[in-house]
Amino acid sequence: MIGKRMRHIGRYHEIAVALLRHGFGMIVDELGFSSFLSLPPRGRTEQGKREGKTVGERLRLVLEELGPTFIKLGQIASTRPDLIPRYIICELEKLQDQVPPFPFPEVRRIVETELGGPLEELFRSFDEIPLAAASLGQVHRAVLPSGQAVVVKIQRPHIAERIETDLDILQDLAVLAERRLDWAASYRLTEIVDELAKSLRQELDYTIEARHAETFANQFADDPSVYVPGVFWEYTTKLVLTMEYVEGVKLGEIERLKESGHSLKTLAERLTVSMLKQMFEHGFFHGDPHPGNVFVLPDGMLAFIDFGLMGRLRPNVKHHLSSLIIALMRQNTDGVLNAIYGLGLVPAEVDEGKLRDDIDELREKYYRVPLSEVSLGEAIGDLLTVAFRHGIRIPSDLTLLGKALLTVEGVVATLDPQFRVMDVAEPFGRKLLKERLRLDRVAETAWKRVAGYGEMLLRLPDSIKELTKVMRRGKLQLEMTASDLEALLRKLDQIGNRLSISLILLSLSIVMAGMLIASSLGRQSMLLWKIPIIEIGFGVVALMFGWLLYSIFRSGKL
C-alpha cells in the first residue's frame, strides 16, 4: 500500500487539494493525507464552505475537478439511491460530461492501429470534426467503402491507464476509510467502490457495448415501432466502435417533431411501451433513455443509440419485482415487505418494526390514488429511499431501472403532459400476475424448488463431513448474546453437578463391589464395629441413584 501511494503520489496530492479546496478538510485529516503529503495551509482552502455551498454541490465540484474517472463514477453513483442520500444524487445528476475533443492525429493513430490499415483505405470519408466528445471518447461520422454511413466512436488516448490509476487509488482510500471512519465501514465503502469500478471498466470495452446493441436489436426484431442501428464488427475493437448512422430528430426537440408532423402522444406511448417491454418482458433494458439517446425516424420509428449503460433483470429479480408491483397495486404491506426481503440484502440488525412503519407510510402515500396518477418511477424511488434508510442493499440493475423509469416519465411528460405511464403499465402488471399464475409456470417453479431441495439433501452428507472436519480442527466459531451465555453457564453448572454425582456413584459402586468380592473370598462377615457396611452402602447408593434419576426427569433433559 505504501508503494502504491509513492507511485501515485502526484495524484494523491491532487485529490487531497481538491477535497481541501471544496470544504472537505475533515476527510483529508481522517484519512491521514498529511502523513505522506505536503498540503497547503488550511486557512487558504475550503472556499466551498465559505461560499455557502451545500455538501452535494461541493462534492460535485470535487468530482468535476478530478476529471473523467470521478465524473463517470459520480454519474454511475447517481443511479444508486439505495446507497447515496437523495440530496447528493440530485447534484450528481448535474455532472457535466462535455470535454474538449482530442486532436484528429490521435484519432487517426488509434483507428489505424486498431483496425490495421490506413484511414483512407478503411473509409471512403472520415469527418475530422467530431459529432460529440465526452470524457471517455468521441464520435465521428464516416462513410464505409460500400457507401454505408456510419458513426465511429474512438476511446480517448491513454484514458484506460488514467482510470486504472484512479480506481487503484480509490480502492486504497476505501480500505483506509473503512478502518478509520465508522460510517464508511457501515456503508461497506469498498464494496461500493468495487461495484462502481466494475461498471466503469465495462464502459471502457466497446465490444461489450456492441454486444449490448445486438442483444437489444434481437429483442425488437419483430417490432415495427423500434429501430436499432447495426454494428459493423469488422470495424469494431475494444477501443473503436462502428455503428450505422441514424438520421432523425432527437426526442427532446419538440418543435422539430411538430414541424415534421409527428404525433407527440403516439411517440409518448411508443416510448413507454418499448421501455416496459424491455424491463418486464425481456429483462434487458436501456439504462439511459434520455432525449439525446432516442431519435425519431421519418416514419415515426424510435431509434435507440448509445448502449454503454444497460440493465439486466435476472429471473429471480423479475419475480420479486412483479411481486412488489402487485403488492403496491393491492396496498399489501406484507407483500411489499416480502418483496423487499427477496430483492435486497437485508442486514441482520434491521429494525423490522420501523421498516414496517416506513412501508405503511409509503402505502398510505399511494392509498386510494388512481393508478393513472401514480408515478411508477417515483414509487420505486421511494422504495429505494426506504432501503437506504435501513441499510438494505438493492441489486444495482433494479436501481438503474428506477432511474430509467423516472427518465422516461420525464420525457413523456414533455411530449404529452396528459399522458400517464401507469395507464400503460397497469396492463403489464396484470400480465405479470397472469404469467405468475400460469399452470406451467407454477409447475416449473415448484419443480425447481423440489429439485433444489433434492440437491441440498444429496449434498447433506458431504456438508456434515465438512462440518465434522472443521469441528475436529477446533475451528468452529459460535456467536452468542449475553442471555445465551447465561443460559449456557447454568446448563454447564447442571452438567458439572450431575457428572460429580455420577462419579461419586461410580466410586461407591466400585468400593461396594470390592467389598463384596473380598467378603466372598474370605467367607467372613463385613462387620466394622458390628456395623453392616455392605447393607448401608447399598442403601446410600440406591438413594443417590434414585435422586439423580428424579433430577434428570424433573429437568426434562433425559
Side-chain angles (χ1 to χ4, degrees):
M1 188 174 291
I2 293 175
K4 182 190 300 181
R5 291 178 187 171
M6 292 302 102
R7 190 166 62 250
H8 306 315
I9 191 73
R11 189 56 170 159
Y12 274 99
H13 189 272
E14 290 174 7
I15 293 170
V17 170
L19 289 170
L20 285 173
R21 182 178 295 117
H22 296 288
F24 294 104
M26 183 181 69
I27 293 179
V28 172
D29 292 337
E30 291 287 351
L31 293 179
F33 277 101
S34 56
S35 64
F36 62 96
L37 294 174
S38 177
L39 299 175
R42 186 65 53 85
R44 291 184 294 171
T45 60
E46 302 201 342
Q47 67 185 43
K49 282 186 177 179
R50 292 199 303 271
E51 293 171 358
K53 291 184 173 66
T54 64
V55 173
E57 288 175 316
R58 290 186 278 127
L59 179 59
R60 173 174 57 81
L61 292 171
V62 168
L63 297 178
E64 287 177 342
E65 182 175 326
L66 291 175
T69 306
F70 292 84
I71 289 173
K72 292 301 296 184
L73 285 175
Q75 290 173 337
I76 296 170
S78 70
T79 67
R80 299 305 308 269
D82 61 318
L83 302 177
I84 299 167
R86 182 75 64 180
Y87 69 92
I88 299 286
I89 283 180
C90 291
E91 287 297 324
L92 295 181
E93 290 173 339
K94 299 176 186 177
L95 282 166
Q96 297 299 311
D97 202 17
Q98 295 297 325
V99 294
F102 55 93
F104 185 72
E106 285 289 342
V107 173
R108 174 185 288 275
R109 180 185 64 80
I110 294 171
V111 171
E112 291 181 346
T113 301
E114 289 294 308
L115 301 185
L119 196 67
E120 289 74 17
E121 293 181 10
L122 293 167
F123 299 92
R124 180 185 294 182
S125 65
F126 197 103
D127 292 355
E128 293 191 13
I129 306 300
L131 294 172
S135 57
L136 298 187
Q138 61 191 41
V139 177
H140 291 255
R141 184 176 178 180
V143 178
L144 297 178
S146 63
Q148 173 69 55
V150 295
V151 289
V152 184
K153 183 191 266 189
I154 305 101
Q155 194 171 115
R156 284 186 175 272
H158 313 299
I159 190 66
E161 293 87 342
R162 287 180 58 191
I163 285 177
E164 284 301 329
T165 295
D166 285 343
L167 291 178
D168 209 20
I169 291 172
L170 278 171
Q171 284 162 335
D172 173 31
L173 294 179
V175 171
L176 191 61
E178 284 194 351
R179 289 176 184 168
R180 300 192 176 197
L181 304 173
D182 291 339
W183 65 265
S186 64
Y187 279 110
R188 299 188 292 274
L189 196 58
T190 52
E191 292 181 24
I192 295 174
V193 170
D194 288 343
E195 190 174 314
L196 297 180
K198 179 183 176 183
S199 299
L200 185 50
R201 287 186 177 111
Q202 284 189 344
E203 286 199 49
L204 288 171
D205 187 347
Y206 288 166
T207 62
I208 293 177
E209 182 174 347
R211 287 196 294 272
H212 286 169
E214 287 201 334
T215 302
F216 195 83
N218 290 334
Q219 291 181 173
F220 290 98
D222 300 323
D223 191 330
S225 66
V226 175
Y227 185 79
V228 182
V231 177
F232 294 88
W233 280 102
E234 62 272 29
Y235 293 90
T236 296
T237 69
K238 190 174 180 179
L239 304 183
V240 176
L241 171 62
T242 304
M243 296 187 69
E244 178 185 356
Y245 176 76
V246 173
E247 188 75 58
V249 181
K250 290 182 180 179
L251 202 56
E253 298 176 320
I254 304 298
E255 293 306 318
R256 284 190 62 192
L257 290 172
K258 289 179 180 177
E259 291 170 4
S260 302
H262 294 293
S263 166
L264 300 185
K265 181 180 174 124
T266 301
L267 294 176
E269 182 175 355
R270 196 163 284 173
L271 176 65
T272 302
V273 170
S274 69
M275 288 303 299
L276 291 175
K277 279 185 177 180
Q278 294 170 42
M279 295 170 179
F280 299 118
E281 288 187 11
H282 303 297
F284 183 72
F285 61 93
H286 199 294
D288 192 18
H290 67 74
N293 281 340
V294 185
F295 284 78
V296 181
L297 303 184
D299 59 0
M301 293 181 74
L302 297 181
F304 287 82
I305 65 168
D306 193 351
F307 302 94
L309 184 61
M310 303 295 289
R312 192 185 298 274
L313 298 180
R314 297 185 303 277
N316 65 314
V317 175
K318 280 179 64 179
H319 174 85
H320 293 300
L321 180 60
S322 62
S323 299
L324 173 63
I325 293 172
I326 293 165
L328 283 172
M329 290 170 64
R330 292 178 172 178
Q331 307 292 327
N332 184 344
T333 300
D334 288 330
V336 174
L337 269 175
N338 291 336
I340 289 175
Y341 274 89
L343 285 168
L345 182 60
V346 182
E349 64 274 10
V350 70
D351 188 328
E352 192 165 325
K354 289 183 179 178
L355 177 59
R356 179 177 287 274
D357 290 343
D358 284 345
I359 296 297
D360 278 332
E361 186 178 334
L362 184 61
R363 180 177 58 82
E364 287 296 324
K365 177 179 178 179
Y366 297 103
Y367 184 62
R368 289 182 180 173
V369 176
L371 283 177
S372 61
E373 297 179 14
V374 172
S375 163
L376 188 57
E378 184 182 348
I380 293 178
D382 287 340
L383 192 65
L384 294 175
T385 301
V386 171
F388 169 79
R389 192 178 300 145
H390 294 275
I392 299 171
R393 295 288 295 275
I394 299 293
S396 58
D397 285 329
L398 184 57
T399 64
L400 185 61
L401 179 141
K403 183 174 177 62
L405 278 172
L406 281 173
T407 302
V408 168
E409 288 177 342
V411 176
V412 165
T414 304
L415 291 170
D416 181 9
Q418 303 303 317
F419 187 84
R420 294 289 179 269
V421 170
M422 281 303 293
D423 289 339
V424 180
E426 186 181 0
F428 272 90
R430 291 200 187 98
K431 186 177 179 181
L432 286 172
L433 182 58
K434 288 180 182 177
E435 188 177 338
R436 288 270 299 278
L437 297 177
R438 264 175 35 204
L439 187 60
D440 59 335
R441 181 58 59 87
V442 172
E444 181 184 354
T445 303
W447 172 250
K448 283 182 179 178
R449 290 185 178 177
V450 169
Y453 292 140
E455 187 178 346
M456 183 175 67
L457 286 173
L458 288 173
R459 290 200 307 263
L460 187 59
D462 292 333
S463 300
I464 293 174
K465 190 183 296 182
E466 288 298 320
L467 179 61
T468 305
K469 288 180 181 177
V470 171
M471 292 176 69
R472 283 176 179 170
R473 296 190 201 110
K475 293 183 179 180
L476 186 65
Q477 296 182 350
L478 296 176
E479 184 176 329
M480 60 182 66
T481 61
S483 58
D484 294 333
L485 186 60
E486 290 175 4
L488 179 61
L489 290 174
R490 284 197 302 271
K491 187 57 61 181
L492 287 173
D493 284 339
Q494 292 176 355
I495 293 171
N497 291 336
R498 286 169 187 173
L499 281 174
S500 300
I501 294 172
S502 300
L503 288 172
I504 292 170
L505 286 173
L506 180 62
S507 301
L508 285 172
S509 300
I510 292 172
V511 171
M512 291 298 106
M515 295 176 73
L516 282 171
I517 292 169
S519 174
S520 300
L521 291 174
R523 297 180 180 179
Q524 293 180 358
S525 176
M526 291 298 296
L527 293 177
L528 185 61
W529 299 302
K530 307 296 183 179
I531 299 175
I533 298 298
I534 293 177
E535 289 78 1
I536 294 175
F538 272 119
V540 170
V541 169
L543 286 173
M544 293 184 72
F545 185 68
W547 181 81
L548 180 60
L549 284 177
Y550 170 74
S551 299
I552 293 173
F553 277 113
R554 187 179 180 186
S555 68
K557 301 293 183 180
L558 182 60

